[in-house]
Amino acid sequence: QVQLVESGGGLVQAGDSLRLSCVASGRTFSTYAMGWFRQAPGKEREFVARISWGGAITKYADSVKGRFTISRDNAKNTVYLQMNSLFPEDTAVYYCAAQSGGNYYAPAEYDYWGQGTQVTVSS
């Protein structure tokens, strides 16, 4: 069992940066790949980024590539999402999730989810 708690969301202006954190409970954090997803009102949950269990392999949605960076610190049971050059269309609830295997872009392939943190980008 893994419990995930996100933090770091807030209200920012376009062009600003934010860093989201997700702290995991449990001793098996380092065995899971970790992903970030987001969901805007009226839209489906969409993939943002994923990092392998060891941190060597990362994947990004095209919409955030070059602006967002996912990283992890297994000693702290924490995964991060550094978000730069934010756009109003990045506004959403951001969720972290843990995955033992499967397609990295599919929410259904993730085993555990956090409660989400709101990111609002004003124009």
Side-chain angles (χ1 to χ4, degrees), residues 18-38:
L18 274 177
R19 189 176 81 155
L20 305 183
S21 300
C22 172
V23 179
S25 65
R27 292 175 289 180
T28 60
F29 173 75
S30 61
T31 66
Y32 287 90
M34 297 298 296
W36 284 97
F37 288 76
R38 65 187 182 186

PDB file of all heavy atoms in Angstrom, residues 18-38:
ATOM      1  N   LEU A  18       6.242  27.025 -10.729  1.00  0.00           N
ATOM      2  CA  LEU A  18       5.815  26.350  -9.513  1.00  0.00           C
ATOM      3  C   LEU A  18       6.527  25.020  -9.439  1.00  0.00           C
ATOM      4  O   LEU A  18       6.835  24.421 -10.482  1.00  0.00           O
ATOM      5  CB  LEU A  18       4.309  26.089  -9.505  1.00  0.00           C
ATOM      6  CG  LEU A  18       3.343  27.149  -9.014  1.00  0.00           C
ATOM      7  CD1 LEU A  18       1.905  26.646  -9.191  1.00  0.00           C
ATOM      8  CD2 LEU A  18       3.603  27.534  -7.588  1.00  0.00           C
ATOM      9  N   ARG A  19       6.737  24.539  -8.219  1.00  0.00           N
ATOM     10  CA  ARG A  19       7.249  23.185  -8.041  1.00  0.00           C
ATOM     11  C   ARG A  19       6.281  22.410  -7.172  1.00  0.00           C
ATOM     12  O   ARG A  19       6.025  22.786  -6.025  1.00  0.00           O
ATOM     13  CB  ARG A  19       8.638  23.170  -7.414  1.00  0.00           C
ATOM     14  CG  ARG A  19       9.241  21.759  -7.431  1.00  0.00           C
ATOM     15  CD  ARG A  19      10.654  21.691  -6.924  1.00  0.00           C
ATOM     16  NE  ARG A  19      10.741  21.673  -5.472  1.00  0.00           N
ATOM     17  CZ  ARG A  19      11.751  21.150  -4.787  1.00  0.00           C
ATOM     18  NH1 ARG A  19      12.770  20.596  -5.432  1.00  0.00           N
ATOM     19  NH2 ARG A  19      11.766  21.199  -3.466  1.00  0.00           N
ATOM     20  N   LEU A  20       5.760  21.347  -7.731  1.00  0.00           N
ATOM     21  CA  LEU A  20       4.894  20.449  -6.996  1.00  0.00           C
ATOM     22  C   LEU A  20       5.723  19.340  -6.369  1.00  0.00           C
ATOM     23  O   LEU A  20       6.707  18.884  -6.949  1.00  0.00           O
ATOM     24  CB  LEU A  20       3.839  19.840  -7.922  1.00  0.00           C
ATOM     25  CG  LEU A  20       2.979  20.820  -8.714  1.00  0.00           C
ATOM     26  CD1 LEU A  20       1.928  20.045  -9.530  1.00  0.00           C
ATOM     27  CD2 LEU A  20       2.324  21.844  -7.831  1.00  0.00           C
ATOM     28  N   SER A  21       5.278  18.905  -5.200  1.00  0.00           N
ATOM     29  CA  SER A  21       5.913  17.785  -4.520  1.00  0.00           C
ATOM     30  C   SER A  21       4.863  16.731  -4.223  1.00  0.00           C
ATOM     31  O   SER A  21       3.689  17.043  -4.021  1.00  0.00           O
ATOM     32  CB  SER A  21       6.560  18.233  -3.207  1.00  0.00           C
ATOM     33  OG  SER A  21       7.555  19.206  -3.432  1.00  0.00           O
ATOM     34  N   CYS A  22       5.306  15.510  -4.162  1.00  0.00           N
ATOM     35  CA  CYS A  22       4.427  14.398  -3.807  1.00  0.00           C
ATOM     36  C   CYS A  22       5.224  13.474  -2.895  1.00  0.00           C
ATOM     37  O   CYS A  22       6.220  12.888  -3.326  1.00  0.00           O
ATOM     38  CB  CYS A  22       3.965  13.667  -5.062  1.00  0.00           C
ATOM     39  SG  CYS A  22       3.050  12.151  -4.751  1.00  0.00           S
ATOM     40  N   VAL A  23       4.767  13.378  -1.660  1.00  0.00           N
ATOM     41  CA  VAL A  23       5.444  12.535  -0.682  1.00  0.00           C
ATOM     42  C   VAL A  23       4.682  11.222  -0.539  1.00  0.00           C
ATOM     43  O   VAL A  23       3.448  11.222  -0.396  1.00  0.00           O
ATOM     44  CB  VAL A  23       5.544  13.235   0.676  1.00  0.00           C
ATOM     45  CG1 VAL A  23       6.237  12.340   1.683  1.00  0.00           C
ATOM     46  CG2 VAL A  23       6.305  14.543   0.538  1.00  0.00           C
ATOM     47  N   ALA A  24       5.409  10.124  -0.583  1.00  0.00           N
ATOM     48  CA  ALA A  24       4.812   8.801  -0.491  1.00  0.00           C
ATOM     49  C   ALA A  24       5.119   8.164   0.848  1.00  0.00           C
ATOM     50  O   ALA A  24       6.209   8.320   1.398  1.00  0.00           O
ATOM     51  CB  ALA A  24       5.340   7.914  -1.615  1.00  0.00           C
ATOM     52  N   SER A  25       4.140   7.448   1.360  1.00  0.00           N
ATOM     53  CA  SER A  25       4.367   6.649   2.555  1.00  0.00           C
ATOM     54  C   SER A  25       4.712   5.238   2.127  1.00  0.00           C
ATOM     55  O   SER A  25       4.405   4.809   1.016  1.00  0.00           O
ATOM     56  CB  SER A  25       3.121   6.638   3.433  1.00  0.00           C
ATOM     57  OG  SER A  25       2.063   5.982   2.753  1.00  0.00           O
ATOM     58  N   GLY A  26       5.327   4.500   2.994  1.00  0.00           N
ATOM     59  CA  GLY A  26       5.651   3.119   2.678  1.00  0.00           C
ATOM     60  C   GLY A  26       7.084   2.952   2.248  1.00  0.00           C
ATOM     61  O   GLY A  26       7.713   3.855   1.717  1.00  0.00           O
ATOM     62  N   ARG A  27       7.602   1.770   2.452  1.00  0.00           N
ATOM     63  CA  ARG A  27       9.006   1.487   2.183  1.00  0.00           C
ATOM     64  C   ARG A  27       9.256   1.029   0.757  1.00  0.00           C
ATOM     65  O   ARG A  27      10.383   0.748   0.397  1.00  0.00           O
ATOM     66  CB  ARG A  27       9.510   0.437   3.167  1.00  0.00           C
ATOM     67  CG  ARG A  27       9.583   0.944   4.596  1.00  0.00           C
ATOM     68  CD  ARG A  27       9.961  -0.169   5.544  1.00  0.00           C
ATOM     69  NE  ARG A  27       8.870  -1.134   5.693  1.00  0.00           N
ATOM     70  CZ  ARG A  27       8.933  -2.206   6.459  1.00  0.00           C
ATOM     71  NH1 ARG A  27      10.045  -2.474   7.115  1.00  0.00           N
ATOM     72  NH2 ARG A  27       7.907  -3.014   6.566  1.00  0.00           N
ATOM     73  N   THR A  28       8.184   0.941  -0.065  1.00  0.00           N
ATOM     74  CA  THR A  28       8.351   0.419  -1.409  1.00  0.00           C
ATOM     75  C   THR A  28       8.333   1.497  -2.479  1.00  0.00           C
ATOM     76  O   THR A  28       8.241   1.198  -3.656  1.00  0.00           O
ATOM     77  CB  THR A  28       7.233  -0.593  -1.714  1.00  0.00           C
ATOM     78  OG1 THR A  28       5.957   0.073  -1.600  1.00  0.00           O
ATOM     79  CG2 THR A  28       7.287  -1.764  -0.764  1.00  0.00           C
ATOM     80  N   PHE A  29       8.456   2.762  -2.063  1.00  0.00           N
ATOM     81  CA  PHE A  29       8.370   3.871  -3.016  1.00  0.00           C
ATOM     82  C   PHE A  29       9.340   3.680  -4.173  1.00  0.00           C
ATOM     83  O   PHE A  29       8.998   3.902  -5.334  1.00  0.00           O
ATOM     84  CB  PHE A  29       8.650   5.181  -2.287  1.00  0.00           C
ATOM     85  CG  PHE A  29       8.759   6.375  -3.197  1.00  0.00           C
ATOM     86  CD1 PHE A  29       7.625   6.933  -3.753  1.00  0.00           C
ATOM     87  CD2 PHE A  29       9.991   6.942  -3.488  1.00  0.00           C
ATOM     88  CE1 PHE A  29       7.712   8.041  -4.591  1.00  0.00           C
ATOM     89  CE2 PHE A  29      10.097   8.040  -4.315  1.00  0.00           C
ATOM     90  CZ  PHE A  29       8.946   8.594  -4.860  1.00  0.00           C
ATOM     91  N   SER A  30      10.558   3.274  -3.882  1.00  0.00           N
ATOM     92  CA  SER A  30      11.592   3.201  -4.908  1.00  0.00           C
ATOM     93  C   SER A  30      11.341   2.106  -5.934  1.00  0.00           C
ATOM     94  O   SER A  30      12.035   2.034  -6.948  1.00  0.00           O
ATOM     95  CB  SER A  30      12.966   3.002  -4.267  1.00  0.00           C
ATOM     96  OG  SER A  30      13.001   1.795  -3.550  1.00  0.00           O
ATOM     97  N   THR A  31      10.363   1.258  -5.698  1.00  0.00           N
ATOM     98  CA  THR A  31      10.058   0.196  -6.658  1.00  0.00           C
ATOM     99  C   THR A  31       8.993   0.607  -7.664  1.00  0.00           C
ATOM    100  O   THR A  31       8.697  -0.147  -8.588  1.00  0.00           O
ATOM    101  CB  THR A  31       9.594  -1.081  -5.950  1.00  0.00           C
ATOM    102  OG1 THR A  31       8.337  -0.830  -5.303  1.00  0.00           O
ATOM    103  CG2 THR A  31      10.615  -1.538  -4.920  1.00  0.00           C
ATOM    104  N   TYR A  32       8.407   1.798  -7.476  1.00  0.00           N
ATOM    105  CA  TYR A  32       7.343   2.271  -8.350  1.00  0.00           C
ATOM    106  C   TYR A  32       7.830   3.361  -9.296  1.00  0.00           C
ATOM    107  O   TYR A  32       8.572   4.265  -8.890  1.00  0.00           O
ATOM    108  CB  TYR A  32       6.189   2.852  -7.533  1.00  0.00           C
ATOM    109  CG  TYR A  32       5.358   1.826  -6.816  1.00  0.00           C
ATOM    110  CD1 TYR A  32       5.670   1.422  -5.524  1.00  0.00           C
ATOM    111  CD2 TYR A  32       4.246   1.263  -7.421  1.00  0.00           C
ATOM    112  CE1 TYR A  32       4.912   0.482  -4.868  1.00  0.00           C
ATOM    113  CE2 TYR A  32       3.469   0.326  -6.771  1.00  0.00           C
ATOM    114  CZ  TYR A  32       3.808  -0.060  -5.490  1.00  0.00           C
ATOM    115  OH  TYR A  32       3.044  -0.990  -4.848  1.00  0.00           O
ATOM    116  N   ALA A  33       7.391   3.282 -10.539  1.00  0.00           N
ATOM    117  CA  ALA A  33       7.470   4.453 -11.404  1.00  0.00           C
ATOM    118  C   ALA A  33       6.426   5.451 -10.901  1.00  0.00           C
ATOM    119  O   ALA A  33       5.400   5.061 -10.342  1.00  0.00           O
ATOM    120  CB  ALA A  33       7.187   4.074 -12.846  1.00  0.00           C
ATOM    121  N   MET A  34       6.706   6.718 -11.096  1.00  0.00           N
ATOM    122  CA  MET A  34       5.806   7.762 -10.603  1.00  0.00           C
ATOM    123  C   MET A  34       5.383   8.681 -11.743  1.00  0.00           C
ATOM    124  O   MET A  34       6.195   9.031 -12.602  1.00  0.00           O
ATOM    125  CB  MET A  34       6.492   8.594  -9.524  1.00  0.00           C
ATOM    126  CG  MET A  34       6.856   7.808  -8.277  1.00  0.00           C
ATOM    127  SD  MET A  34       5.429   7.126  -7.424  1.00  0.00           S
ATOM    128  CE  MET A  34       4.583   8.637  -6.943  1.00  0.00           C
ATOM    129  N   GLY A  35       4.128   9.049 -11.720  1.00  0.00           N
ATOM    130  CA  GLY A  35       3.611   9.920 -12.766  1.00  0.00           C
ATOM    131  C   GLY A  35       2.887  11.112 -12.202  1.00  0.00           C
ATOM    132  O   GLY A  35       2.458  11.120 -11.045  1.00  0.00           O
ATOM    133  N   TRP A  36       2.798  12.136 -13.038  1.00  0.00           N
ATOM    134  CA  TRP A  36       1.957  13.299 -12.748  1.00  0.00           C
ATOM    135  C   TRP A  36       0.887  13.378 -13.831  1.00  0.00           C
ATOM    136  O   TRP A  36       1.199  13.243 -15.034  1.00  0.00           O
ATOM    137  CB  TRP A  36       2.769  14.591 -12.740  1.00  0.00           C
ATOM    138  CG  TRP A  36       3.607  14.794 -11.522  1.00  0.00           C
ATOM    139  CD1 TRP A  36       4.935  14.504 -11.387  1.00  0.00           C
ATOM    140  CD2 TRP A  36       3.190  15.342 -10.269  1.00  0.00           C
ATOM    141  NE1 TRP A  36       5.365  14.828 -10.123  1.00  0.00           N
ATOM    142  CE2 TRP A  36       4.311  15.345  -9.417  1.00  0.00           C
ATOM    143  CE3 TRP A  36       1.977  15.821  -9.783  1.00  0.00           C
ATOM    144  CZ2 TRP A  36       4.251  15.821  -8.108  1.00  0.00           C
ATOM    145  CZ3 TRP A  36       1.924  16.296  -8.476  1.00  0.00           C
ATOM    146  CH2 TRP A  36       3.057  16.290  -7.650  1.00  0.00           C
ATOM    147  N   PHE A  37      -0.330  13.605 -13.401  1.00  0.00           N
ATOM    148  CA  PHE A  37      -1.463  13.815 -14.297  1.00  0.00           C
ATOM    149  C   PHE A  37      -2.142  15.116 -13.899  1.00  0.00           C
ATOM    150  O   PHE A  37      -1.888  15.654 -12.811  1.00  0.00           O
ATOM    151  CB  PHE A  37      -2.466  12.663 -14.180  1.00  0.00           C
ATOM    152  CG  PHE A  37      -1.986  11.375 -14.784  1.00  0.00           C
ATOM    153  CD1 PHE A  37      -1.051  10.590 -14.138  1.00  0.00           C
ATOM    154  CD2 PHE A  37      -2.461  10.952 -16.016  1.00  0.00           C
ATOM    155  CE1 PHE A  37      -0.591   9.410 -14.700  1.00  0.00           C
ATOM    156  CE2 PHE A  37      -2.016   9.767 -16.583  1.00  0.00           C
ATOM    157  CZ  PHE A  37      -1.087   9.005 -15.916  1.00  0.00           C
ATOM    158  N   ARG A  38      -3.011  15.600 -14.762  1.00  0.00           N
ATOM    159  CA  ARG A  38      -3.792  16.784 -14.419  1.00  0.00           C
ATOM    160  C   ARG A  38      -5.187  16.659 -14.997  1.00  0.00           C
ATOM    161  O   ARG A  38      -5.414  15.954 -15.983  1.00  0.00           O
ATOM    162  CB  ARG A  38      -3.112  18.055 -14.930  1.00  0.00           C
ATOM    163  CG  ARG A  38      -3.015  18.176 -16.436  1.00  0.00           C
ATOM    164  CD  ARG A  38      -2.173  19.392 -16.810  1.00  0.00           C
ATOM    165  NE  ARG A  38      -2.077  19.578 -18.253  1.00  0.00           N
ATOM    166  CZ  ARG A  38      -1.314  20.486 -18.842  1.00  0.00           C
ATOM    167  NH1 ARG A  38      -0.551  21.315 -18.102  1.00  0.00           N
ATOM    168  NH2 ARG A  38      -1.287  20.600 -20.150  1.00  0.00           N
TER     169      ARG A  38
END
